[in-house]
Amino acid sequence: MNKVFFILMVIGVPLSVIGGFFDWNFILMFFIYCMTIISLANYIRRSTECLAVVVGETAGGLLNATFGNAAEIIIAFFALREGLNTVVISSITGMVLVNLLFAGGLSMLIGGLRFKKQEFDVFKARHNTGLLMFGIVVTFVLPFIFVSRIDKTDIKILSTAFAIVMLIIYLLALFFKLVTHKSVFTGKKGEDGEEEEPEWGKWKAMIILGLATVVLAYVSEKLVGTIEPVGNTLGWSDVFIGIIVVAVVGSAAEYVSSISMAYKNRMDVMLEISIGSTVQTAMFVAPILVLVSWFFNFLPLVFNTSELVAMILAAFMTVTIVNDGDSNWFEGALLVGTYIAMGFGFYLL
Amino acid sequence: MNKVFFILMVIGVPLSVIGGFFDWNFILMFFIYCMTIISLANYIRRSTECLAVVVGETAGGLLNATFGNAAEIIIAFFALREGLNTVVISSITGMVLVNLLFAGGLSMLIGGLRFKKQEFDVFKARHNTGLLMFGIVVTFVLPFIFVSRIDKTDIKILSTAFAIVMLIIYLLALFFKLVTHKSVFTGKKGEDGEEEEPEWGKWKAMIILGLATVVLAYVSEKLVGTIEPVGNTLGWSDVFIGIIVVAVVGSAAEYVSSISMAYKNRMDVMLEISIGSTVQTAMFVAPILVLVSWFFNFLPLVFNTSELVAMILAAFMTVTIVNDGDSNWFEGALLVGTYIAMGFGFYLL
Amino acid sequence: MNKVFFILMVIGVPLSVIGGFFDWNFILMFFIYCMTIISLANYIRRSTECLAVVVGETAGGLLNATFGNAAEIIIAFFALREGLNTVVISSITGMVLVNLLFAGGLSMLIGGLRFKKQEFDVFKARHNTGLLMFGIVVTFVLPFIFVSRIDKTDIKILSTAFAIVMLIIYLLALFFKLVTHKSVFTGKKGEDGEEEEPEWGKWKAMIILGLATVVLAYVSEKLVGTIEPVGNTLGWSDVFIGIIVVAVVGSAAEYVSSISMAYKNRMDVMLEISIGSTVQTAMFVAPILVLVSWFFNFLPLVFNTSELVAMILAAFMTVTIVNDGDSNWFEGALLVGTYIAMGFGFYLL
């Protein structure tokens, strides 16, 4: 799989630069940029993981928790700068739905076709689903219920206050996981993971991380510039582009590794990626974007009802399915089926 | 109990024919039709069960899953043909509420008065509650959140797409239960059930099934014809009639067997009837009616807010109560109490 | 801790009388009344507990269940008489939020800082969370979904009917807990509690209970009289006063004992106080107030959307966290974090 990303990158990066320079057709460039970002996000992810192994578990967990969604944050940053707030909001919805229903469901489905029943550690899973409920409740539902009844300046204050509460809780969650209750979480991980050597050495990983981030930022900026003309030409709405571009492009690398973990029956890691990544979106990426948006157009975290209900349902389905400590192909199919039905609804909006 | 149904049928069928022929008072006929349908639905149910034993578990499960709600589908079919869409939609709400809260709750209450604590297989129960959540979420909530924001032709497409997704998932659920994970489900059933002989032989069951279905169709058509004049005369709204006529009349037979199972402390079978039947309503009956309605007035699956919230609450209460693997009289009383409160609300609407 | 309450009472009661007599500044008096009520509520609580031990478990449970929220009921009674319905409705919201999120969360947080993992009896906890879901669903959500669609006289009938259903279920819950399934509930309580002597003898407790109740009623009436001028002067809305005055003042005594129980690792008692007290609010206090309000301005149990959703979220978070049978500091922090975010939202409303 890593070879595919290597080829995508080797082709994508030069094409992005050359095409941007010679003003190639913007629809062609849009797809080249997407492909390139997918490959670069994979390199960022892998170099982060290598560094995480090198610096030890605590700092490594912190590193994963902050750099894991680097690609999404970078793309969203440029979209914010361009004033594409609807795109950013929809991309958050997209990340939640795709992570939980599509990536999570497909992983359970594919894993379940190979193994009759796949078990995972309920304690860790429940820690994550607890955070998931909390993240979605406070970051997404609370602003929704208050926002319609207060005036504009107060919305800014309220959104900012929620973002800060959320970041504090996110830090506390890391502290809980990496410091006070470390033993509970590392028990099994150690078993699975200790034998694995990091793919790259410390310095190589740092250089790759730095380079990939810089190039990703360059390509993201270009990509965001093509969103509006592409949307107008192909007749795609901002919501649709938000769900596709930032959500899928930014985290495609994670979906691949989530599925491959399920295929290897390492369900704890799979859930950590799929649910953990959604928690990061709600509790880290979204609040960071709110704070960053102070410098551009302020981004209040207010979703429309369809998006909000879809996210709540996705979280609720995941909690219900994860709660019994095992999964099978049918539970995966349920999630994917829900995703397809929702996707169809959003497409028609 | 079967004797009661026999007497009801022996009196009801001739009265239905004669009364219809001589144009007796329509309110009288309305009640005669209801009584007759209740008795015939019982015969359809029993003959289906006999055939299910004869043809083997897999085909039998399929048979139960499709013919189990034959009476509801037949009545709804004639109501659709008459353009009584509100009645059909309300009858779906009614089936969900009555099955989960009233029949389920009354079973737990009566069973719990006899046994201090009634246990059931959590694995099977959770498979059913998982399906229940999914069915209610996708069939009922998703259309609701999208429908208000899209135009009329798209509603038709969306409802149809949801119905198809639902039917596919329903078939997958049967495949899961009857083929790939058969052993998990039949473990205990075999224990309870194998000693039981089918009530009727193969041919007798088939003849009874055929006859009862034909007569039920005849009476249902007559019944539907009386709905509007009865409603006007007695001052009952379409919603109220929907919840009473199709919901209660069509599945009264199931309520009786659900309660009798709880009384015998066979809680797995009781839950299978009560929750399984609701799942069938959401994932099989409702989608089938949407597809069938293409031939008459199209029936979009759009409930009003009260109906929708009532169904969600009913599902949620059931999941909460079933989740711990046992039931007692008080949990039953809770469900029945919720049903009474809701019924009162709908009555005042 | 009891000393603090003693001092508060010894200072507060005379000051309340004297200040009321000499017409001291009403803002000063407002705070004196609050302080006095907090101390008197503590005496009511303690004398009730003593009597509960003396009269035996069944009658004692009944006594706790009815007198436990005496302070809230008395204050709300005078607020109703003054026509301050918004204050009463908000105070119910406040009691739910403060009990579940703030008191419950702070208890888990403080207890969790001392003990790595605090376990509790899942059976009892689930009985309480089941009641909690039911109470919130029927008392709060059902009126909401029906009320917007029916006319004014029917709202009165509906609210009354719901209140009666609720009180019946509450009595059944007591019957379940104190009679039919007594053994399940008293198992552990006996262990912890039997060695404890009641603080006061029977007669002393009865005299204290009587005196404290009378004085509390006197001070409550005075307090309610200052609500409107204080609100106007300090710019506090009725909602804000409702959440502060009745909710926090009326049950401050309980929060203190809930936290101290968690500190002693007696989590069953802590949950009994925190969740049990919320259940009492929903299933006993709220219905009683509806019935009592027949004599003044009728109080329909209709919350605004923000209040309703906040209560549902609070209940849902609690259920999720309690469901696994143990708690830790981070789960407590989650609840407190949610409370802070909500509090901020209500403050800005």
Side-chain angles (χ1 to χ4, degrees):
Chain A
M1 205 57 219
N2 285 342
K3 257 187 198 159
V4 176
F5 288 113
F6 178 74
I7 294 168
L8 280 180
M9 187 198 63
V10 160
I11 300 174
V13 175
L15 280 185
S16 297
V17 178
I18 297 168
F21 201 76
F22 290 105
D23 261 336
W24 290 359
N25 174 286
F26 57 82
I27 296 185
L28 176 66
M29 288 318 294
F30 177 81
F31 287 105
I32 290 178
Y33 294 144
C34 288
M35 187 185 79
T36 314
I37 289 175
I38 290 176
S39 68
L40 290 168
N42 175 265
Y43 277 89
I44 291 183
R45 191 177 173 82
R46 276 152 69 200
S47 53
T48 310
E49 273 164 14
C50 292
L51 287 176
V53 176
V54 175
V55 296
E57 254 172 82
T58 311
L62 210 63
L63 207 68
N64 267 326
T66 44
F67 262 81
N69 291 51
E72 284 104 326
I73 295 180
I74 292 171
I75 306 176
F77 173 83
F78 287 108
L80 276 178
R81 214 184 55 174
E82 291 283 304
L84 299 168
N85 281 13
T86 317
V87 172
V88 176
I89 284 288
S90 306
S91 77
I92 293 174
T93 309
M95 284 189 260
V96 171
L97 298 184
V98 176
N99 261 319
L100 292 181
L101 298 178
F102 184 70
L106 203 60
S107 303
M108 287 182 189
L109 178 55
I110 288 175
L113 292 177
R114 205 167 160 213
F115 303 94
K116 188 158 186 184
K117 192 171 158 183
Q118 300 191 288
E119 300 192 342
F120 41 81
D121 183 335
V122 174
F123 183 85
K124 282 186 224 174
R126 279 200 186 139
H127 175 74
N128 270 325
T129 52
L131 277 178
L132 180 66
M133 293 307 312
F134 175 76
I136 297 222
V137 160
V138 178
T139 325
F140 302 149
V141 182
L142 279 193
F144 187 80
I145 63 173
F146 289 116
V147 127
S148 58
R149 296 174 60 207
I150 62 182
D151 52 55
K152 266 218 154 166
T153 24
D154 281 354
I155 288 180
K156 214 165 166 176
I157 296 170
L158 193 72
S159 280
T160 309
F162 283 180
I164 291 168
V165 169
M166 195 57 50
L167 285 175
I168 292 170
I169 294 281
Y170 186 65
L171 290 178
L172 288 177
L174 288 176
F175 187 68
F176 177 78
K177 200 170 156 181
L178 301 172
V179 184
T180 71
H181 285 62
K182 195 176 163 182
S183 55
V184 185
F185 286 95
T186 47
K188 250 201 170 159
K189 219 178 199 170
E191 234 171 74
D192 294 348
E194 243 158 23
E195 64 242 38
E196 286 175 279
E197 275 293 288
E199 195 183 352
W200 302 315
K202 188 178 165 188
W203 291 106
K204 191 172 172 192
M206 280 180 69
I207 291 167
I208 291 178
L209 180 59
L211 277 179
T213 306
V214 170
V215 181
L216 185 91
Y218 169 83
V219 182
S220 297
E221 192 179 3
K222 292 280 178 188
L223 173 79
V224 167
T226 64
I227 283 179
E228 274 198 274
V230 165
N232 290 337
T233 311
L234 300 185
W236 292 350
S237 69
D238 271 12
V239 172
F240 191 72
I241 292 185
I243 290 181
I244 294 299
V245 180
V246 191
V248 179
V249 168
S251 33
E254 291 166 33
Y255 308 150
V256 171
S257 58
S258 152
I259 292 168
S260 90
M261 284 303 156
Y263 189 74
K264 292 182 202 158
N265 205 16
R266 294 175 59 183
M267 297 305 281
D268 283 321
V269 186
M270 177 256 151
L271 285 179
E272 183 70 33
I273 297 172
S274 150
I275 303 183
S277 170
T278 314
V279 169
Q280 273 180 35
T281 302
M283 298 182 70
F284 183 71
V285 176
I288 286 283
L289 292 178
V290 170
L291 297 186
V292 164
S293 77
W294 272 88
F295 302 105
F296 313 117
N297 298 299
F298 184 69
L299 179 86
L301 271 184
V302 184
F303 297 85
N304 64 50
T305 320
S306 318
E307 290 175 331
L308 188 70
V309 177
M311 286 191 291
I312 295 172
L313 293 180
F316 194 71
M317 300 277 313
T318 308
V319 172
T320 311
I321 278 178
V322 163
N323 210 26
D324 58 358
D326 55 53
S327 72
N328 51 53
W329 71 261
F330 180 67
E331 295 185 338
L334 268 187
L335 293 178
V336 174
T338 311
Y339 179 74
I340 291 171
M342 281 181 182
F344 202 76
F346 279 111
Y347 177 79
L348 286 181
L349 272 193
Chain B
M1 203 59 218
N2 285 342
K3 257 189 198 158
V4 178
F5 287 115
F6 178 74
I7 295 168
L8 279 180
M9 186 197 65
V10 159
I11 299 174
V13 175
L15 280 185
S16 297
V17 178
I18 297 168
F21 201 76
F22 290 104
D23 262 334
W24 289 0
N25 173 285
F26 58 82
I27 295 184
L28 175 66
M29 288 317 295
F30 177 82
F31 288 104
I32 291 178
Y33 294 144
C34 288
M35 187 186 79
T36 315
I37 288 175
I38 291 176
S39 69
L40 289 169
N42 176 264
Y43 277 90
I44 290 185
R45 191 176 173 83
R46 275 153 68 200
S47 53
T48 309
E49 273 164 13
C50 292
L51 285 177
V53 175
V54 174
V55 297
E57 254 172 84
T58 311
L62 210 63
L63 206 67
N64 266 328
T66 44
F67 261 83
N69 291 52
E72 284 104 328
I73 295 181
I74 292 171
I75 305 176
F77 173 84
F78 287 109
L80 276 179
R81 216 184 54 175
E82 290 283 303
L84 299 169
N85 280 14
T86 315
V87 173
V88 175
I89 283 288
S90 306
S91 76
I92 294 175
T93 308
M95 285 190 260
V96 171
L97 298 184
V98 177
N99 261 319
L100 293 182
L101 298 178
F102 184 70
L106 203 60
S107 303
M108 287 183 188
L109 178 55
I110 290 175
L113 292 176
R114 206 170 160 211
F115 303 93
K116 187 159 185 181
K117 190 172 160 183
Q118 300 191 287
E119 301 192 342
F120 41 81
D121 183 336
V122 174
F123 183 84
K124 283 186 223 174
R126 280 199 186 139
H127 176 74
N128 270 325
T129 52
L131 277 177
L132 180 66
M133 293 308 312
F134 175 76
I136 297 219
V137 161
V138 179
T139 325
F140 302 150
V141 182
L142 278 192
F144 186 81
I145 62 172
F146 289 116
V147 126
S148 57
R149 297 174 61 206
I150 61 181
D151 53 53
K152 266 219 153 164
T153 25
D154 281 354
I155 289 180
K156 212 165 165 174
I157 296 172
L158 194 72
S159 280
T160 310
F162 283 180
I164 291 169
V165 169
M166 196 57 50
L167 286 175
I168 291 172
I169 294 282
Y170 186 65
L171 290 179
L172 288 177
L174 289 177
F175 187 69
F176 176 78
K177 199 171 158 183
L178 301 174
V179 182
T180 70
H181 287 59
K182 197 177 161 180
S183 55
V184 185
F185 286 94
T186 46
K188 252 203 168 154
K189 220 178 199 169
E191 235 171 74
D192 293 348
E194 244 158 24
E195 63 242 39
E196 286 175 278
E197 275 293 289
E199 195 182 353
W200 301 317
K202 188 177 162 188
W203 292 106
K204 191 171 173 194
M206 280 179 69
I207 291 167
I208 291 177
L209 180 59
L211 276 179
T213 307
V214 170
V215 181
L216 185 93
Y218 169 83
V219 182
S220 296
E221 193 179 3
K222 293 278 179 191
L223 173 79
V224 167
T226 63
I227 284 180
E228 272 195 278
V230 165
N232 291 336
T233 312
L234 301 185
W236 292 352
S237 69
D238 271 13
V239 172
F240 191 71
I241 292 186
I243 290 181
I244 294 301
V245 180
V246 191
V248 179
V249 168
S251 32
E254 291 166 33
Y255 309 149
V256 172
S257 57
S258 151
I259 292 168
S260 90
M261 283 304 156
Y263 189 74
K264 292 181 202 158
N265 205 17
R266 293 176 57 182
M267 297 305 279
D268 284 320
V269 186
M270 176 256 152
L271 285 179
E272 183 70 32
I273 297 172
S274 151
I275 303 183
S277 171
T278 314
V279 170
Q280 273 179 35
T281 302
M283 298 182 71
F284 183 70
V285 177
I288 286 283
L289 292 178
V290 170
L291 296 186
V292 163
S293 77
W294 273 86
F295 301 106
F296 313 116
N297 298 300
F298 184 68
L299 178 86
L301 272 183
V302 185
F303 297 84
N304 63 49
T305 320
S306 318
E307 291 176 330
L308 189 70
V309 176
M311 288 192 290
I312 294 173
L313 293 179
F316 194 71
M317 301 277 313
T318 309
V319 172
T320 310
I321 279 177
V322 162
N323 210 28
D324 59 357
D326 55 54
S327 72
N328 51 53
W329 71 262
F330 180 68
E331 294 185 338
L334 267 187
L335 293 179
V336 175
T338 311
Y339 180 75
I340 291 170
M342 281 181 182
F344 201 76
F346 279 111
Y347 176 79
L348 285 182
L349 273 193
Chain C
M1 203 59 218
N2 285 342
K3 258 189 197 158
V4 177
F5 287 115
F6 178 74
I7 295 168
L8 280 180
M9 187 198 63
V10 160
I11 300 174
V13 174
L15 280 185
S16 297
V17 178
I18 297 167
F21 201 75
F22 291 105
D23 262 335
W24 290 0
N25 174 286
F26 56 84
I27 296 185
L28 175 67
M29 288 317 296
F30 177 82
F31 288 104
I32 291 178
Y33 293 144
C34 288
M35 189 187 77
T36 315
I37 289 176
I38 290 176
S39 69
L40 289 168
N42 175 265
Y43 277 89
I44 292 185
R45 191 177 173 81
R46 275 153 68 200
S47 54
T48 311
E49 273 164 14
C50 292
L51 286 177
V53 176
V54 174
V55 297
E57 255 171 83
T58 310
L62 211 61
L63 206 67
N64 266 326
T66 44
F67 262 82
N69 292 51
E72 284 104 327
I73 294 180
I74 292 170
I75 306 177
F77 173 84
F78 287 108
L80 276 178
R81 215 184 55 175
E82 291 283 303
L84 300 169
N85 281 13
T86 316
V87 172
V88 175
I89 284 287
S90 306
S91 77
I92 294 175
T93 309
M95 284 190 259
V96 171
L97 298 184
V98 176
N99 261 319
L100 292 182
L101 298 178
F102 185 70
L106 203 59
S107 303
M108 287 184 190
L109 178 56
I110 289 175
L113 291 177
R114 205 169 159 212
F115 304 94
K116 187 158 184 181
K117 192 172 158 182
Q118 299 190 288
E119 300 193 343
F120 41 81
D121 183 335
V122 174
F123 182 84
K124 282 187 224 173
R126 280 201 185 137
H127 175 74
N128 271 326
T129 53
L131 277 178
L132 179 66
M133 293 307 313
F134 175 76
I136 297 220
V137 160
V138 179
T139 325
F140 302 149
V141 182
L142 279 192
F144 186 80
I145 63 172
F146 288 116
V147 126
S148 57
R149 296 174 61 207
I150 62 182
D151 53 52
K152 267 218 153 165
T153 25
D154 282 354
I155 288 181
K156 215 166 164 173
I157 297 171
L158 194 72
S159 280
T160 310
F162 283 180
I164 291 168
V165 169
M166 195 57 50
L167 286 174
I168 292 171
I169 294 280
Y170 186 66
L171 291 178
L172 288 177
L174 288 176
F175 187 68
F176 177 78
K177 200 169 155 182
L178 301 173
V179 184
T180 70
H181 285 60
K182 196 177 162 181
S183 55
V184 186
F185 286 94
T186 46
K188 251 201 168 158
K189 220 176 196 170
E191 234 171 72
D192 294 348
E194 244 158 23
E195 65 241 38
E196 287 175 278
E197 275 292 289
E199 194 182 352
W200 302 315
K202 189 178 162 187
W203 291 106
K204 191 171 174 195
M206 280 180 69
I207 291 168
I208 292 178
L209 181 59
L211 277 179
T213 307
V214 170
V215 181
L216 186 91
Y218 169 83
V219 182
S220 297
E221 192 179 3
K222 293 279 179 189
L223 173 78
V224 166
T226 63
I227 283 180
E228 273 196 276
V230 166
N232 291 335
T233 313
L234 300 185
W236 292 351
S237 69
D238 272 12
V239 172
F240 190 71
I241 292 185
I243 291 181
I244 294 301
V245 179
V246 191
V248 179
V249 167
S251 31
E254 291 166 35
Y255 308 149
V256 172
S257 57
S258 151
I259 292 167
S260 91
M261 284 304 156
Y263 189 75
K264 292 181 202 156
N265 205 16
R266 293 178 58 183
M267 297 306 280
D268 284 321
V269 187
M270 176 256 152
L271 285 178
E272 184 69 34
I273 298 172
S274 151
I275 303 183
S277 170
T278 315
V279 169
Q280 272 179 35
T281 302
M283 298 182 69
F284 183 71
V285 177
I288 286 283
L289 292 177
V290 169
L291 297 185
V292 163
S293 77
W294 273 87
F295 302 105
F296 313 116
N297 298 299
F298 183 69
L299 178 86
L301 270 183
V302 184
F303 297 85
N304 64 49
T305 320
S306 317
E307 290 175 332
L308 188 71
V309 176
M311 286 192 290
I312 294 173
L313 293 180
F316 194 71
M317 301 278 312
T318 309
V319 172
T320 310
I321 278 177
V322 163
N323 211 27
D324 59 357
D326 54 53
S327 71
N328 50 54
W329 71 262
F330 180 67
E331 294 185 338
L334 268 186
L335 294 178
V336 174
T338 310
Y339 179 74
I340 291 171
M342 281 180 181
F344 202 77
F346 279 111
Y347 176 79
L348 286 181
L349 272 193

